[in-house]
Amino acid sequence: MMNSNLRRTLIATTSLIVLSGCGANDIASPGTGGNVTINNNTTNVTPAPTPTPTPTPTPTVALVTPAAGCPTISNTSGPGTLLTDSGTISGPTGTYRVCTLPARIIAPTAPNGTIPSVTVTLPRLAGVLYQMNGRVDVGNDQGATTTGTTNVVLAIEPGVILFAGTGTSWLAVNRGNSIQAVGTPTQPIIFTSRDNIQGLNTETSTGQWGGVVLLGRAQTTDCSASAATPGTTACERQTEGAIDPAVYGGANNTESSGRISFVQIRYSGFVLSGNSELQSLTTSSIGSGTVLNNIMSYNSSDDGAEFFGGRVNMRFFISVGAEDDNLDTDTGVKANFQYVLIAQRAGTESRGTDAIIEADSDNAVDGNLPRQNTIVSNFTFLHRVNNASASAAILLRGGTDYSLLNGFVLATPSPSCLRISRANTAATTASLGVNATNQNVAGAATGNDELGAPVFRSVQMQCGATPFSGINSVTAADVMSIFGAGANGNSATYTPSFTNTFINGATETAVPAFDPSNVHAASGQPTLALNRGGQPQFFDAVTFAGAVRNAADTWYTQWTCNSTALNLGTNTGLCTSLPTF
């Protein structure tokens, strides 16, 4: 639990922060022309005959009215406040006061030269929206070797809505700092675009701002410095898509970058540099102390979420409408995911390689340590890419170790369900030598962090004409053998019986579940072995496959939003609109 001294909020006169580099007051974003206010002309107009009065319908939802001003968050180092009052912005749900965040939120330097820890809180106030008018940094980068992530803590209250005033807007939580974006089931926190506020978006709108990025000090591979040893404090990387420095990497695998819970991230993926863009959520070398749960990505023009290195644990993840991959894992990450619901939007075939899962370690340096090991349990994947050039619903490559447990893949429009690339990815445990308890003795002795071929348990797939495909020295027959159709509860000829698109029906209920409660991606054991290797338990013991057990299982409701791509029931309303809590 956070020390009480770190819970100082900056509301009213209680702040302890310094403002640096406030953005401009302009609230326009690419492709739109700012606010348009239409004032009805009331002069020189001949009144029309008065009709018989008709009762005025009572609106079901009252329009939002703007707050009188922004929260007063004082800047103790001089005149001014943390927030800039940028006027108002209007849309179908009403008119809001726009309170613009600075380009960087930093703690003041004490007289003795030290920088104290400080918590900056964005309160939820009726009629207030918070704007990112460009890149917003939480703290300064504290480097790879320092300890602690409380230099600046950005706390966001339930129900707060933050929007990007420009396409190049994004949130960067730097090393040594953290975020506490903790919503509730009935009042989620929403990150979105300016066009979403103004009601200009359709269900095909994407790529209107950057996204949310957590930068940590856990291990990674593919170091920027050619002489650096992977997995050490010398191995650092620049965040994909960022123009200005956004560095991550180190050797602290247990550190916390904070918590993100009950959060929607909408319309992300703006191209920030070259042909590289961010995704809704990017974690870069975060430690296992970071808490991620109940996160929804909607209409990212890149990935739903991408995880570079570090130690990741996430429950209750929903990705809808991503135009690249949905769950992308890279550069030596050790990741555990449970309860994952993914639905692609039909008509997003422009990239040709869109996938539900893309995993690698990376191809060019797939011998770097640590090797990726990702486990996903209790998932439902709706792959809707109808493109002959698309590789597969699931693409495993670059020497990754990967386990899929207790899930369903619907991929009939796609040429195949599962593709594996490179012999290093398909290497079997037998070739490395295992003992009677499935411990990778040979791998441990040589230090190659290789846990064997991908593992599938209780995975049912509905595929196209070629369920399995291989590339780069891996054949389709190799992939079929690794999947083990007909064994361990696996099938490539599954016929779904879902209700409401993704809720388990009779066929799904009949699938015998694999108990994942004793496996862990960072245990150093093969993922099929029931041995955590001293790691804390992450996975719930389950008796069902799939993301949603039955109609009584409603974890996906309330805090999410709806679209034609996926109707999630009673919640905050359409993703193209804003909730009025």
Side-chain angles (χ1 to χ4, degrees):
M1 182 173 292
M2 187 178 298
N3 187 291
S4 61
N5 290 331
L6 299 183
R7 295 185 179 276
R8 300 189 300 266
T9 64
L10 298 184
I11 307 169
T13 60
T14 60
S15 60
L16 278 175
I17 59 113
V18 176
L19 156 63
S20 173
C22 289
N25 293 338
D26 181 20
I27 56 175
S29 62
T32 61
N35 295 337
V36 177
T37 302
I38 300 175
N39 297 314
N40 293 324
N41 184 2
T42 60
T43 61
N44 301 321
V45 177
T46 302
T50 303
T52 302
T54 301
T56 301
T58 302
T60 56
V61 178
L63 293 179
V64 173
T65 57
C70 294
T72 302
I73 303 178
S74 300
N75 173 14
T76 57
S77 67
T81 65
L82 171 72
L83 301 171
T84 300
D85 188 332
S86 300
T88 62
I89 186 171
S90 297
T93 54
T95 300
Y96 302 82
R97 177 69 52 190
V98 176
C99 301
T100 301
L101 293 167
R104 189 179 300 271
I105 304 169
I106 59 175
T109 302
N112 62 2
T114 63
I115 300 177
S117 300
V118 64
T119 296
V120 177
T121 299
L122 298 182
R124 179 185 174 271
L125 296 177
V128 166
L129 298 176
Y130 296 97
Q131 179 182 218
M132 297 171 286
N133 199 35
R135 172 175 172 174
V136 174
D137 283 271
V138 177
N140 291 311
D141 177 31
Q142 301 297 300
T145 59
T146 57
T147 59
T149 53
T150 58
N151 180 46
V152 175
V153 180
L154 176 62
I156 304 173
E157 290 188 347
V160 163
I161 298 176
L162 300 93
F163 76 97
T166 65
T168 55
S169 300
W170 59 291
L171 182 68
V173 181
N174 288 294
R175 292 183 294 186
N177 307 275
S178 62
I179 187 172
Q180 292 291 329
V182 184
T184 68
T186 57
Q187 290 192 328
I189 294 165
I190 298 174
F191 293 88
T192 191
S193 67
R194 178 178 179 272
D195 282 2
N196 194 195
I197 305 299
Q198 293 191 301
L200 302 176
N201 282 344
T202 68
E203 294 205 351
T204 60
S205 300
T206 62
Q208 296 178 341
W209 66 292
V212 177
V213 179
L214 306 185
L215 303 164
R217 290 184 289 220
Q219 291 179 308
T220 192
T221 60
D222 305 10
C223 321
S224 296
S226 58
T229 300
T232 68
T233 56
C235 186
E236 300 175 303
R237 289 175 55 86
Q238 165 74 1
T239 292
E240 180 183 83
I243 301 173
D244 299 322
V247 180
Y248 65 92
N252 188 342
N253 290 329
T254 61
E255 197 171 63
S256 172
S257 293
R259 178 179 175 183
I260 299 180
S261 299
F262 295 104
V263 167
Q264 299 175 23
I265 307 174
R266 307 178 180 182
Y267 304 109
S268 64
F270 189 84
V271 178
L272 296 177
S273 62
N275 192 33
S276 184
E277 57 265 76
L278 296 175
Q279 33 280 319
S280 289
L281 175 66
T282 303
T283 72
S284 302
S285 289
I286 63 171
S288 60
T290 309
V291 177
L292 303 172
N293 66 273
N294 297 84
I295 298 172
M296 179 180 185
S297 165
Y298 179 71
N299 274 22
S300 170
S301 64
D302 198 57
D303 301 328
E306 188 162 8
F307 306 88
F308 295 91
R311 301 291 187 268
V312 176
N313 300 302
M314 184 164 71
R315 287 187 177 90
F316 305 114
F317 175 62
I318 297 174
S319 179
V320 178
E323 292 183 347
D324 194 5
D325 308 308
N326 288 266
L327 196 65
D328 197 340
T329 46
D330 301 279
T331 63
V333 66
K334 309 280 190 184
N336 302 297
F337 302 103
Q338 190 169 23
Y339 312 116
V340 179
L341 175 59
I342 291 174
Q344 289 174 306
R345 190 180 73 251
T348 58
E349 298 89 358
S350 59
R351 292 173 183 262
T353 57
D354 311 322
I356 296 291
I357 286 175
E358 181 181 1
D360 57 60
S361 263
D362 186 323
N363 288 327
V365 285
D366 58 14
N368 275 190
L369 304 181
R371 295 278 290 273
Q372 180 186 160
N373 184 19
T374 294
I375 305 172
V376 185
S377 182
N378 296 97
F379 59 88
T380 299
F381 296 159
L382 309 178
H383 186 62
R384 295 164 171 166
V385 175
N386 186 15
N387 188 338
S389 65
S391 58
I394 298 168
L395 173 61
L396 307 179
R397 63 183 183 182
T400 182
D401 292 321
Y402 215 99
S403 295
L404 286 170
L405 315 172
N406 302 319
F408 303 103
V409 181
L410 279 66
T412 48
S414 179
S416 66
C417 280
L418 175 64
R419 185 179 225 186
I420 297 177
S421 172
R422 295 174 66 87
N424 207 12
T425 313
T428 65
T429 53
S431 67
L432 295 170
V434 296
N435 64 14
T437 59
N438 290 315
Q439 293 175 335
N440 186 354
V441 179
T446 59
N448 67 3
D449 198 21
E450 167 61 66
L451 301 179
V455 172
F456 302 87
R457 296 290 183 270
S458 299
V459 175
Q460 305 271 307
M461 304 193 303
Q462 182 186 50
C463 307
T466 54
F468 308 103
S469 61
I471 192 172
N472 296 323
S473 302
V474 179
T475 68
D478 293 332
V479 178
M480 182 173 66
S481 176
I482 290 170
F483 180 75
N488 296 313
N490 300 328
S491 172
T493 58
Y494 152 70
T495 300
S497 65
F498 288 123
T499 62
N500 194 35
T501 309
F502 58 86
I503 299 173
N504 285 0
T507 302
E508 291 77 24
T509 301
V511 175
F514 175 84
D515 181 7
S517 61
N518 287 312
V519 299
H520 198 286
S523 67
Q525 305 295 334
T527 57
L528 56 84
L530 297 180
N531 188 328
R532 291 195 299 274
Q535 297 295 322
Q537 180 175 329
F538 170 78
F539 290 101
D540 295 334
V542 293
T543 58
F544 66 97
V548 179
R549 181 174 187 172
N550 52 36
D553 185 4
T554 58
W555 65 262
Y556 55 88
T557 62
Q558 293 187 292
W559 59 276
T560 54
C561 61
N562 285 330
S563 64
T564 56
L566 197 66
N567 184 343
L568 294 166
T570 302
N571 52 29
T572 62
L574 293 175
C575 300
T576 51
S577 185
L578 297 183
T580 52
F581 300 121

